[in-house]
Amino acid sequence: MSDNVLWIITDDQPRATLERMPRTWSRLVQRGVRFDRGYAAMPWCGPARASMLTSRYPHHHGCSTNQTHAPFVQRGLDQDTVATRLRAGTDYDTGYFGKYMNGLSRDPAYVAPGWRRWVTTVGSGGRVNVDGENRELGSQRAADRFALDRLTTYLERQADSGPWFAVWSTSTPHDPYTPSRRHRDDFDGVRWDPPALNERDMSDKPSWLRDLPPQDRARMREVHEGKLEELQDLDDQVARVLDVLRETGQHERTWIFFVSDNGYLLGEHRLFRKEQPYEESAGVPYVVRGPGAAPAVSDALVSQVDLMPTTLEIAGLDPDAGRELDGRSLLAPLTTGDWSGWRRRLLVENTNLGWAMLREGSHVFIDHHERGECELYDLATDPHQLDSLQGADVAGWAGPLGRLRSAKGRALRALEI
């Protein structure tokens, strides 16, 4: 029997918070492959989810704003996703549970092609779409709990049937922060003082950033606390899902991918939230556990666009059949441990704000191409991106990045090598 695949997608989770989830850390992270250099295709909820489902970078799928659902459907992108390929080419069952894309509230009866089971949250008011029928549950927390309950029921029912692919997309730890009674005091007073918080010398930053006022330090600490406490609830929920897989005998034949749609800035470089090209925003937690993948910590450059081709190859499909994908399958290096043929450089972009980022070696080159400004950091000596390398020859970085942000499919992947 073919292996099952589960994607767990969190919402606005900074990469560094993963280790504050003890059960997820011990049962998933330490038993899988953790990527220290995992990145969003675009660090913003809607465009990132479009990239995951289609293995297209934002310059390829064209959904540049956070109200992604309408253009995604209008452009026919929902007709060729990881789910439609699996349903057309394999005997895989498919199910989607939780948050889909921003803008779904304007199309509340929508059911995306390729998903046999569809339980999605609609907006943030507590409504859910169950296979095209809406139900009012009263709160986002209730809607998230409903989606999780339906996921676990789905997993239990799949125990004795064919292979399945499921997405569990939680709204945790997105604001507003409403941790359960059990965890709402777990991180009271937690310290928040990263080196880049309210960076003092902004002279090396793009001109539009230099006059930003400092963020409210107490507010940033409060948000950090809220995220950590909500993540304790998610930690319990991940453990519940893992328990179901073990109790139904499916854990040894199920691949689990744990990622976030984007990271989150909490005052670093005087910035708040996401969308920006710095590590706290563009970097995401990225973990894979599956049959034959030895536990490891990898420095391979991986992206959200790699989820779809990896899943298709697990299912026995050619990822490029019908349309060449922008991402790469992780399957071979995950099972062999040999990353020698993997990409050397990686693109991250924001087609809405007009910047693109090239990650290569220890360096990060950021081209604010619509503003005519750029930044270059060596993370080996400056991990918090406090000092852009002034006077550096950026021509050698701008050329490869410019070619990447206009390429797609095999041509894009060739440029990564």
Side-chain angles (χ1 to χ4, degrees):
M1 181 181 293
S2 300
D3 294 331
N4 309 314
V5 181
L6 172 65
W7 293 2
I8 302 174
I9 304 173
T10 63
D11 196 349
D12 288 1
Q13 182 180 2
R15 183 194 282 156
T17 62
L18 185 59
E19 60 187 277
R20 309 301 287 270
M21 302 172 66
R23 296 208 271 182
T24 303
W25 187 265
S26 63
R27 297 183 59 183
L28 184 61
V29 180
Q30 291 189 318
R31 298 183 185 184
V33 180
R34 172 168 59 91
F35 294 94
D36 285 341
R37 301 197 295 175
Y39 289 90
M42 177 168 162
W44 207 11
C45 303
R49 293 165 190 274
S51 289
M52 286 186 254
L53 289 169
T54 63
S55 190
R56 299 175 189 248
Y57 275 101
H59 72 265
H60 189 181
H61 63 58
C63 300
S64 60
T65 73
N66 211 24
Q67 292 299 308
T68 314
H69 171 68
F72 192 79
V73 173
Q74 289 164 3
R75 293 177 179 142
L77 297 169
D78 61 345
Q79 303 298 314
D80 183 16
T81 67
V82 59
T84 62
R85 296 243 189 141
L86 287 173
R87 292 295 287 169
T90 72
D91 60 350
Y92 271 68
D93 199 279
T94 55
Y96 198 106
F97 304 87
K99 180 176 178 178
Y100 183 62
M101 286 185 194
N102 296 44
L104 197 60
S105 59
R106 298 181 180 179
D107 191 9
Y110 172 82
V111 178
W115 302 99
R116 192 190 65 81
R117 192 74 170 110
W118 181 256
V119 183
T120 55
T121 55
V122 180
S124 57
R127 189 168 22 151
V128 294
N129 175 335
V130 182
D131 298 327
E133 177 186 341
N134 277 218
R135 304 183 189 182
E136 296 288 347
L137 299 178
S139 70
Q140 185 64 44
R141 174 173 286 279
D144 285 343
R145 185 167 55 247
F146 182 90
L148 174 62
D149 289 344
R150 293 303 181 273
L151 168 69
T152 56
T153 299
Y154 176 86
L155 298 180
E156 290 166 348
R157 290 176 176 173
Q158 294 296 324
D160 298 319
S161 53
W164 50 264
F165 166 60
V167 174
W168 172 36
S169 181
T170 173
S171 66
T172 303
H174 194 287
D175 68 319
Y177 304 107
T178 57
S180 67
R181 182 186 300 272
R182 177 180 180 183
H183 292 300
R184 67 186 179 190
D185 297 316
D186 283 6
F187 287 89
D188 286 358
V190 65
R191 182 178 177 183
W192 181 243
D193 192 24
L197 178 62
N198 289 330
E199 184 176 348
R200 294 183 62 184
D201 182 1
M202 299 281 282
S203 61
D204 65 315
K205 296 296 181 286
S207 56
W208 68 274
L209 280 175
R210 294 172 194 164
D211 294 328
L212 286 179
Q215 295 288 339
D216 183 325
R217 183 185 295 262
R219 172 60 178 154
M220 297 300 98
R221 192 215 62 78
E222 181 183 345
V223 173
H224 180 54
E225 176 184 308
K227 284 190 177 294
L228 292 179
E229 289 173 348
E230 278 215 342
L231 285 170
Q232 303 317 296
D233 287 318
L234 179 61
D235 196 41
D236 295 341
Q237 294 164 0
V238 171
R240 176 183 169 189
V241 171
L242 296 177
D243 286 344
V244 169
L245 292 175
R246 179 170 292 278
E247 290 164 3
T248 56
Q250 299 180 81
H251 64 291
E252 291 185 353
R253 53 184 173 90
T254 300
W255 287 87
I256 301 175
F257 297 78
F258 185 106
V259 299
S260 182
D261 53 7
N262 49 255
Y264 212 79
L265 287 148
L266 286 171
E268 296 94 341
H269 318 296
R270 306 186 189 181
L271 293 164
F272 181 44
R273 295 175 63 84
K274 47 220 177 181
E275 299 181 62
Q276 303 299 340
Y278 302 105
E279 286 294 291
E280 298 87 357
S281 169
V284 295
Y286 202 121
V287 179
V288 184
R289 194 195 81 177
V297 178
S298 174
D299 64 358
L301 291 164
V302 294
S303 170
Q304 294 166 337
V305 296
D306 299 329
L307 295 175
M308 177 175 173
T310 309
T311 300
L312 294 179
E313 189 171 17
I314 289 170
L317 295 177
D318 174 2
D320 287 323
R323 169 176 62 87
E324 296 178 7
L325 305 186
D326 293 348
R328 297 170 176 269
S329 173
L330 295 152
L331 185 59
L334 279 172
T335 52
T336 64
D338 181 6
W339 295 89
S340 59
W342 193 248
R343 64 165 67 91
R344 294 176 48 243
R345 57 180 64 94
L346 177 71
L347 170 70
V348 181
E349 62 185 349
N350 188 323
T351 52
N352 185 56
L353 295 183
W355 61 256
M357 182 183 105
L358 180 65
R359 188 74 170 84
E360 182 172 357
S362 64
H363 287 84
V364 177
F365 175 70
I366 305 165
D367 185 5
H368 301 270
H369 47 83
E370 292 194 2
R371 297 175 182 265
E373 300 182 78
C374 60
E375 304 170 74
L376 178 64
Y377 299 95
D378 185 347
L379 297 184
T381 58
D382 182 20
H384 304 290
Q385 296 173 282
L386 296 174
D387 297 297
S388 180
L389 299 174
Q390 302 297 313
D393 180 9
V394 300
W397 296 95
L401 178 54
R403 289 187 287 273
L404 276 171
R405 67 183 185 88
S406 62
K408 59 184 180 181
R410 283 192 177 95
L412 186 150
R413 302 198 309 260
L415 292 170
E416 296 175 328
I417 301 296

